[in-house]
Amino acid sequence: MDIVANTLLAAGASPAMIHSLAEIPDFTPQAQALCVNVGTLSPSWVPAMKSAAELMVKLGKPWVLDPVAAGASGFRLNACLALVGVKPTVIRGNGSEIIALSSVSCSIKGVDSAHGSMDALEAAKSLARASGSIVAVSGAVDVVTDGNRVVAAHNGVPMMQKITATGCAVTALIAAFVALDPSHPLEATASALSVFCIAGELGMDLAKGPASLRMHLIDSLYGLDEAALLSRVRITDL
């Protein structure tokens, strides 16, 4: 939650981390977007997640699902599939998580992926068509699809994989971007992925290892300007 909140603050968003079912009716209507992250899943949290997502759908506001380690346990997979049924605007995961949700056999090791983003491309397209969601697959190349169109974001540095919860942070950033442009969720998702990874590239120029990259990534995101963004962004159609 720490890096997620700090990423959002650095980008100019205003996060609120809510878990209690009792608070959903008060907090959710005030939000411009919702990010549901199942990373530290427990049975008591699932009803709150589903309730918040259902309320966002009712309000006509976007919500984004991060199905962390979706295939690691039956409980986790069933919870994620139930949330997919609530029609997320965007689903963002690694290759193995997206394959698990698309019901294709896969192996997964905790939150780490045994599959690259390109390995999961067909699964992502299938999941997008079945769910009606934009599906983003993180990897060496980030892939985003609506089931037909596919775009790729080519920014980032390998050491970002050595920092826990960078995937969680970029999912939350996607929610912030989609909140600003809800009528173009594919473009907003690809833009968020690229912006976050460009911040990683800039941070890597100053970092000595994963711990300092974490700090410099957030600083770089905070200080990112249009010139730096336009000089580095690499988004292509596939």
Side-chain angles (χ1 to χ4, degrees):
M1 280 187 280
D2 173 79
I3 191 171
V4 170
N6 284 323
T7 294
L8 289 170
L9 287 168
S14 179
M17 313 314 230
I18 305 301
H19 308 127
S20 171
L21 180 62
E23 290 191 305
I24 298 302
D26 294 325
F27 266 98
T28 306
Q30 301 179 53
Q32 291 179 274
L34 170 72
C35 178
V36 173
N37 183 299
V38 304
T40 53
L41 193 63
S42 67
S44 63
W45 284 18
V46 176
M49 292 174 172
K50 190 173 181 183
S51 176
E54 289 173 342
L55 185 51
M56 291 300 278
V57 172
K58 182 179 179 181
L59 294 170
K61 296 181 178 182
W63 78 278
V64 179
L65 173 63
D66 192 328
V68 180
S73 71
F75 165 66
R76 187 170 287 270
L77 180 58
N78 289 334
C80 289
L81 290 174
L83 288 165
V84 170
V86 190
K87 303 295 183 183
T89 309
V90 181
I91 302 168
R92 200 287 320 166
N94 63 38
S96 292
E97 291 160 352
I98 297 305
I99 290 172
L101 290 185
S102 69
S103 301
V104 178
S105 176
C106 75
S107 61
I108 190 168
K109 48 176 184 173
V111 299
D112 299 320
S113 181
H115 300 82
S117 54
M118 292 303 178
D119 298 330
L121 179 55
E122 291 306 315
K125 290 166 70 176
S126 176
L127 178 60
R129 288 191 292 265
S131 65
S133 306
I134 300 300
V135 176
V137 191
S138 293
V141 175
D142 297 324
V143 176
V144 186
T145 182
D146 60 5
N148 295 302
R149 184 184 176 193
V150 180
V151 301
H154 301 266
N155 295 102
V157 293
M159 195 174 288
M160 292 174 73
Q161 298 176 11
K162 301 296 185 182
I163 306 171
T164 189
T166 50
C168 302
V170 78
T171 302
L173 191 63
I174 288 169
F177 273 51
V178 175
L180 292 174
D181 195 4
S183 61
H184 299 97
L186 186 148
E187 292 83 353
T189 298
S191 297
L193 288 163
S194 187
V195 164
F196 187 76
C197 288
I198 288 170
E201 292 174 357
L202 294 169
M204 193 67 230
D205 291 341
L206 302 169
K208 296 181 179 180
S212 55
L213 176 57
R214 184 184 191 274
M215 176 184 71
H216 289 301
L217 186 158
I218 293 171
D219 283 349
S220 296
L221 180 61
Y222 177 76
L224 188 61
D225 59 25
E226 185 177 2
L229 177 63
L230 293 178
S231 68
R232 287 178 175 263
V233 65
R234 290 192 296 149
I235 300 175
T236 61
D237 282 293
L238 293 182

mmCIF file of all heavy atoms in Angstrom, residues 71 77 95-107 115 119-120 122-124 126-127:
data_model
loop_
_atom_site.group_PDB
_atom_site.id
_atom_site.type_symbol
_atom_site.label_atom_id
_atom_site.label_comp_id
_atom_site.label_asym_id
_atom_site.label_seq_id
_atom_site.Cartn_x
_atom_site.Cartn_y
_atom_site.Cartn_z
ATOM 1 N N GLY A 71 -3.637 -17.433 -9.989
ATOM 2 C CA GLY A 71 -3.649 -18.889 -10.094
ATOM 3 C C GLY A 71 -2.964 -19.613 -8.958
ATOM 4 O O GLY A 71 -2.800 -20.833 -9.004
ATOM 5 N N LEU A 77 -8.208 -17.613 -6.986
ATOM 6 C CA LEU A 77 -8.719 -17.634 -8.352
ATOM 7 C C LEU A 77 -10.225 -17.409 -8.374
ATOM 8 O O LEU A 77 -10.740 -16.631 -9.193
ATOM 9 C CB LEU A 77 -8.377 -18.968 -9.021
ATOM 10 C CG LEU A 77 -8.864 -19.136 -10.461
ATOM 11 C CD1 LEU A 77 -8.307 -18.046 -11.376
ATOM 12 C CD2 LEU A 77 -8.489 -20.516 -10.987
ATOM 13 N N GLY A 95 1.808 -12.086 -17.032
ATOM 14 C CA GLY A 95 1.388 -13.097 -17.990
ATOM 15 C C GLY A 95 0.667 -14.268 -17.357
ATOM 16 O O GLY A 95 -0.398 -14.697 -17.834
ATOM 17 N N SER A 96 1.203 -14.793 -16.267
ATOM 18 C CA SER A 96 0.589 -15.961 -15.628
ATOM 19 C C SER A 96 -0.770 -15.636 -15.016
ATOM 20 O O SER A 96 -1.688 -16.461 -15.050
ATOM 21 C CB SER A 96 1.531 -16.518 -14.555
ATOM 22 O OG SER A 96 2.687 -17.074 -15.147
ATOM 23 N N GLU A 97 -0.904 -14.443 -14.452
ATOM 24 C CA GLU A 97 -2.192 -14.040 -13.872
ATOM 25 C C GLU A 97 -3.278 -13.935 -14.936
ATOM 26 O O GLU A 97 -4.416 -14.387 -14.741
ATOM 27 C CB GLU A 97 -2.028 -12.711 -13.132
ATOM 28 C CG GLU A 97 -1.179 -12.829 -11.878
ATOM 29 C CD GLU A 97 -0.598 -11.513 -11.392
ATOM 30 O OE1 GLU A 97 -0.716 -10.498 -12.096
ATOM 31 O OE2 GLU A 97 -0.003 -11.513 -10.290
ATOM 32 N N ILE A 98 -2.932 -13.358 -16.075
ATOM 33 C CA ILE A 98 -3.915 -13.204 -17.150
ATOM 34 C C ILE A 98 -4.262 -14.552 -17.753
ATOM 35 O O ILE A 98 -5.440 -14.836 -18.044
ATOM 36 C CB ILE A 98 -3.373 -12.246 -18.226
ATOM 37 C CG1 ILE A 98 -3.158 -10.840 -17.625
ATOM 38 C CG2 ILE A 98 -4.310 -12.199 -19.422
ATOM 39 C CD1 ILE A 98 -4.383 -10.231 -16.953
ATOM 40 N N ILE A 99 -3.289 -15.431 -17.902
ATOM 41 C CA ILE A 99 -3.570 -16.779 -18.402
ATOM 42 C C ILE A 99 -4.489 -17.521 -17.443
ATOM 43 O O ILE A 99 -5.428 -18.209 -17.857
ATOM 44 C CB ILE A 99 -2.258 -17.547 -18.644
ATOM 45 C CG1 ILE A 99 -1.507 -16.952 -19.836
ATOM 46 C CG2 ILE A 99 -2.529 -19.027 -18.888
ATOM 47 C CD1 ILE A 99 -0.110 -17.502 -20.036
ATOM 48 N N ALA A 100 -4.241 -17.382 -16.138
ATOM 49 C CA ALA A 100 -5.087 -18.045 -15.143
ATOM 50 C C ALA A 100 -6.540 -17.587 -15.251
ATOM 51 O O ALA A 100 -7.472 -18.389 -15.187
ATOM 52 C CB ALA A 100 -4.553 -17.781 -13.740
ATOM 53 N N LEU A 101 -6.740 -16.291 -15.429
ATOM 54 C CA LEU A 101 -8.105 -15.766 -15.523
ATOM 55 C C LEU A 101 -8.790 -16.166 -16.821
ATOM 56 O O LEU A 101 -10.020 -16.220 -16.880
ATOM 57 C CB LEU A 101 -8.087 -14.237 -15.420
ATOM 58 C CG LEU A 101 -7.727 -13.641 -14.068
ATOM 59 C CD1 LEU A 101 -7.877 -12.134 -14.102
ATOM 60 C CD2 LEU A 101 -8.602 -14.228 -12.965
ATOM 61 N N SER A 102 -8.003 -16.451 -17.844
ATOM 62 C CA SER A 102 -8.603 -16.841 -19.119
ATOM 63 C C SER A 102 -8.848 -18.343 -19.193
ATOM 64 O O SER A 102 -9.217 -18.865 -20.245
ATOM 65 C CB SER A 102 -7.707 -16.405 -20.285
ATOM 66 O OG SER A 102 -6.515 -17.156 -20.293
ATOM 67 N N SER A 103 -8.595 -19.039 -18.059
ATOM 68 C CA SER A 103 -8.874 -20.476 -17.937
ATOM 69 C C SER A 103 -7.934 -21.336 -18.771
ATOM 70 O O SER A 103 -8.252 -22.479 -19.079
ATOM 71 C CB SER A 103 -10.332 -20.795 -18.297
ATOM 72 O OG SER A 103 -11.215 -20.087 -17.469
ATOM 73 N N VAL A 104 -6.773 -20.800 -19.136
ATOM 74 C CA VAL A 104 -5.761 -21.586 -19.818
ATOM 75 C C VAL A 104 -4.798 -22.115 -18.769
ATOM 76 O O VAL A 104 -4.402 -21.392 -17.862
ATOM 77 C CB VAL A 104 -5.001 -20.725 -20.847
ATOM 78 C CG1 VAL A 104 -3.902 -21.544 -21.527
ATOM 79 C CG2 VAL A 104 -5.964 -20.169 -21.877
ATOM 80 N N SER A 105 -4.429 -23.379 -18.861
ATOM 81 C CA SER A 105 -3.544 -23.994 -17.881
ATOM 82 C C SER A 105 -2.231 -23.246 -17.802
ATOM 83 O O SER A 105 -1.623 -22.909 -18.815
ATOM 84 C CB SER A 105 -3.273 -25.451 -18.255
ATOM 85 O OG SER A 105 -2.344 -26.036 -17.357
ATOM 86 N N CYS A 106 -1.779 -22.959 -16.577
ATOM 87 C CA CYS A 106 -0.503 -22.259 -16.414
ATOM 88 C C CYS A 106 0.120 -22.612 -15.080
ATOM 89 O O CYS A 106 -0.509 -23.190 -14.209
ATOM 90 C CB CYS A 106 -0.703 -20.743 -16.488
ATOM 91 S SG CYS A 106 -1.442 -20.033 -14.998
ATOM 92 N N SER A 107 1.393 -22.281 -14.931
ATOM 93 C CA SER A 107 2.073 -22.394 -13.642
ATOM 94 C C SER A 107 2.380 -20.989 -13.167
ATOM 95 O O SER A 107 2.653 -20.100 -13.958
ATOM 96 C CB SER A 107 3.374 -23.193 -13.776
ATOM 97 O OG SER A 107 4.279 -22.560 -14.650
ATOM 98 N N HIS A 115 5.343 -16.600 -17.216
ATOM 99 C CA HIS A 115 5.089 -16.322 -18.627
ATOM 100 C C HIS A 115 5.368 -14.854 -18.932
ATOM 101 O O HIS A 115 5.054 -13.981 -18.136
ATOM 102 C CB HIS A 115 3.628 -16.624 -18.986
ATOM 103 C CG HIS A 115 3.241 -18.056 -18.754
ATOM 104 N ND1 HIS A 115 2.878 -18.531 -17.518
ATOM 105 C CD2 HIS A 115 3.160 -19.111 -19.613
ATOM 106 C CE1 HIS A 115 2.595 -19.818 -17.612
ATOM 107 N NE2 HIS A 115 2.762 -20.191 -18.870
ATOM 108 N N ASP A 119 3.668 -14.236 -24.284
ATOM 109 C CA ASP A 119 3.124 -15.583 -24.094
ATOM 110 C C ASP A 119 1.636 -15.532 -23.764
ATOM 111 O O ASP A 119 0.897 -16.480 -24.054
ATOM 112 C CB ASP A 119 3.848 -16.298 -22.944
ATOM 113 C CG ASP A 119 5.326 -16.491 -23.205
ATOM 114 O OD1 ASP A 119 5.710 -16.615 -24.384
ATOM 115 O OD2 ASP A 119 6.096 -16.520 -22.223
ATOM 116 N N ALA A 120 1.219 -14.435 -23.145
ATOM 117 C CA ALA A 120 -0.161 -14.308 -22.684
ATOM 118 C C ALA A 120 -1.032 -13.489 -23.617
ATOM 119 O O ALA A 120 -2.182 -13.181 -23.280
ATOM 120 C CB ALA A 120 -0.176 -13.668 -21.293
ATOM 121 N N GLU A 122 -2.658 -14.072 -26.519
ATOM 122 C CA GLU A 122 -3.932 -14.654 -26.940
ATOM 123 C C GLU A 122 -4.885 -14.808 -25.763
ATOM 124 O O GLU A 122 -6.097 -14.607 -25.893
ATOM 125 C CB GLU A 122 -3.703 -15.998 -27.638
ATOM 126 C CG GLU A 122 -3.016 -15.875 -28.983
ATOM 127 C CD GLU A 122 -3.740 -14.918 -29.926
ATOM 128 O OE1 GLU A 122 -4.983 -15.002 -30.022
ATOM 129 O OE2 GLU A 122 -3.063 -14.070 -30.553
ATOM 130 N N ALA A 123 -4.333 -15.157 -24.589
ATOM 131 C CA ALA A 123 -5.165 -15.244 -23.384
ATOM 132 C C ALA A 123 -5.740 -13.874 -23.036
ATOM 133 O O ALA A 123 -6.902 -13.760 -22.628
ATOM 134 C CB ALA A 123 -4.343 -15.782 -22.223
ATOM 135 N N ALA A 124 -4.929 -12.826 -23.185
ATOM 136 C CA ALA A 124 -5.398 -11.468 -22.892
ATOM 137 C C ALA A 124 -6.519 -11.064 -23.833
ATOM 138 O O ALA A 124 -7.528 -10.480 -23.410
ATOM 139 C CB ALA A 124 -4.227 -10.486 -22.997
ATOM 140 N N SER A 126 -8.544 -13.072 -25.429
ATOM 141 C CA SER A 126 -9.716 -13.884 -25.090
ATOM 142 C C SER A 126 -10.419 -13.352 -23.843
ATOM 143 O O SER A 126 -11.652 -13.247 -23.805
ATOM 144 C CB SER A 126 -9.282 -15.336 -24.870
ATOM 145 O OG SER A 126 -10.357 -16.137 -24.448
ATOM 146 N N LEU A 127 -9.635 -13.001 -22.817
ATOM 147 C CA LEU A 127 -10.205 -12.463 -21.583
ATOM 148 C C LEU A 127 -10.894 -11.132 -21.832
ATOM 149 O O LEU A 127 -11.981 -10.863 -21.294
ATOM 150 C CB LEU A 127 -9.107 -12.310 -20.527
ATOM 151 C CG LEU A 127 -9.520 -11.723 -19.180
ATOM 152 C CD1 LEU A 127 -10.583 -12.584 -18.502
ATOM 153 C CD2 LEU A 127 -8.293 -11.565 -18.267
#
